Amino acid sequence: MNYRHAYHAGNFADVVKHAVLALLIEQLKQKEAAFRVIDTHAGLGLYDLAGDEARRTGEWRHGIGRLMSRNLNPALVNLLKPYLTVIRIANGGATLTRYPGSPWIARELLRKQDRLTAIELHPRDASGLRTLFAGDRQVKVIMLDGWLALGSFVPPRERRGLVLVDPPFEARDDFEKLVAGLKVGYRRWPTGVYALWYPVKDLAAIDNFRAELARSGIKRLLRAELLIRNRAAHGRFNGTGIVICNPPWQFEDTLDGLLTGLWPHLADGPGAGRSIDVIAGE
Ligand SMILES: C[S@@+](CC[C@H](N)C(=O)[O-])C[C@H]1O[C@@H](n2cnc3c(N)ncnc32)[C@H](O)[C@@H]1O
């Protein structure tokens, strides 16, 4: 496990993933009944943007840094509201010094009846997460292989909620694990919302991933990608993708509005843009 999210926190992929995460949680809040968020690869939870790792790559400057320094159109501001509100809370204002990870964002958006289960395998990150949420009765931090959670932690007691699966893609088989993990989770809990993150880099692997999902028998699957440059630029991290199983009603339109507004701010070269497609729809 060499991957350290501290080098990448707040980059363009985090912006998209976390803005989508915040919108999905806001949708769950439309009903009074409690829900649970399960974050299978949670990371550290809060990142120091002045720290060594963040300064070495500077990736956040092309992600959240750009967003916070630009005039955004009102429609985009509206869609980013839950996400940017959390960013401001984490920073105590509009000056960026820290970047919250997915468990922090989820926790900030919960109501008192909702719960978060944050799973992380790296001992240092798991211990950091435990410290971050110490004494918080709504959060459970577990040091465990996150892939196991899809077999053992769903359905949650609340029977409503969201599973975020955000692996580091260090291993070549992470795409296969995403498909297998979703199938296991879906079998146990077919009404849960699942958000699976992937990098747009290896196009053959993505095509195969999409084909496997289409063959999976899972009924409602939506895919969205935001490209910061040409999708086929060789060997580069050209974009960020997310697959959503059981998206909320009309979420396709919400995603379209979000990504259409975001991509011009995150673009890094010709070929930038966005795409949304329905892999499976009832
Ligand atoms: C992309 S980062 C997660 C970022 C986080 N979800 C966020 O959005 O802020 C992936 C994380 O997964 C952890 N990890 C790697 N393999 C894992 C496994 N099998 N189970 C759980 N966590 C794992 C890494 O240590 C790393 O912190």
Side-chain angles (χ1 to χ4, degrees):
M1 291 214 311
N2 293 319
Y3 181 91
R4 315 270 56 224
H5 197 65
Y7 289 98
H8 313 292
N11 69 4
F12 76 94
D14 263 8
V15 167
V16 176
K17 172 177 60 189
H18 293 155
V20 173
L21 171 69
L23 286 169
L24 288 171
I25 293 175
E26 289 305 299
Q27 282 288 336
L28 286 165
K29 286 157 72 174
Q30 300 287 317
K31 286 190 185 152
E32 197 46 39
F35 62 83
R36 185 177 298 250
V37 176
I38 300 173
D39 192 342
T40 63
H41 295 70
L44 194 50
L46 196 58
Y47 301 90
D48 177 9
L49 294 178
D52 224 34
E53 295 96 333
R55 276 197 291 129
R56 218 176 289 177
T57 63
E59 285 187 23
W60 68 271
R61 294 183 187 282
H62 303 270
I64 189 62
R66 285 197 192 165
L67 224 54
M68 296 294 275
S69 64
R70 300 218 173 150
N71 276 329
L72 309 175
N73 74 55
L76 182 60
V77 169
N78 194 36
L79 288 165
L80 289 172
K81 199 168 168 193
Y83 166 60
L84 291 182
T85 301
V86 177
I87 300 290
R88 289 201 182 87
I89 293 171
N91 285 282
T95 308
L96 279 174
T97 56
R98 310 200 296 177
Y99 187 79
S102 52
W104 212 94
I105 292 169
R107 172 62 186 103
E108 199 56 51
L109 295 171
L110 298 186
R111 304 160 303 180
K112 65 176 189 319
Q113 64 267 45
D114 309 318
R115 297 281 181 277
L116 166 69
T117 301
I119 299 157
E120 168 60 48
L121 189 57
H122 196 289
R124 217 167 57 214
D125 287 4
S127 150
L129 261 187
R130 282 216 176 98
T131 308
L132 193 63
F133 293 119
D136 188 333
R137 297 168 68 93
Q138 286 179 253
V139 182
K140 195 187 264 182
V141 175
I142 303 172
M143 193 177 118
L144 182 77
D145 181 348
W147 296 113
L148 300 177
L150 289 151
S152 47
F153 292 169
V154 305
R157 200 180 51 224
E158 296 80 1
R159 303 250 159 195
R160 288 189 72 224
L162 161 72
V163 184
L164 172 66
V165 191
D166 181 21
F169 277 87
E170 279 180 316
R172 287 191 63 86
D173 63 350
D174 274 356
F175 276 112
E176 283 106 83
K177 282 182 166 166
L178 277 179
V179 176
L182 178 62
K183 282 184 185 167
V184 169
Y186 187 80
R187 215 174 299 132
R188 295 173 60 95
W189 187 30
T191 55
V193 179
Y194 300 80
L196 317 179
W197 182 82
Y198 65 90
V200 178
K201 196 168 179 186
D202 178 345
L203 299 189
I206 295 172
D207 286 349
N208 193 47
F209 174 54
R210 192 195 182 288
E212 288 295 325
L213 288 170
R215 269 197 292 271
S216 68
I218 294 171
K219 293 201 182 82
R220 298 180 59 235
L221 285 166
L222 191 61
R223 173 174 84 154
E225 288 185 359
L226 182 143
L227 304 173
I228 57 167
R229 66 178 79 82
N230 190 324
R231 196 167 186 265
H234 188 67
R236 298 188 70 185
F237 182 18
N238 298 319
T240 178
I242 195 156
V243 167
I244 299 169
C245 169
N246 292 328
W249 191 57
Q250 294 186 333
F251 201 65
E252 199 179 330
D253 297 340
T254 306
L255 267 181
D256 192 31
L258 177 73
L259 300 192
T260 301
L262 271 180
W263 79 257
H265 296 288
L266 300 175
D268 234 4
R274 60 110 193 87
S275 73
I276 295 184
D277 79 297
V278 176
I279 299 177
E282 275 179 324

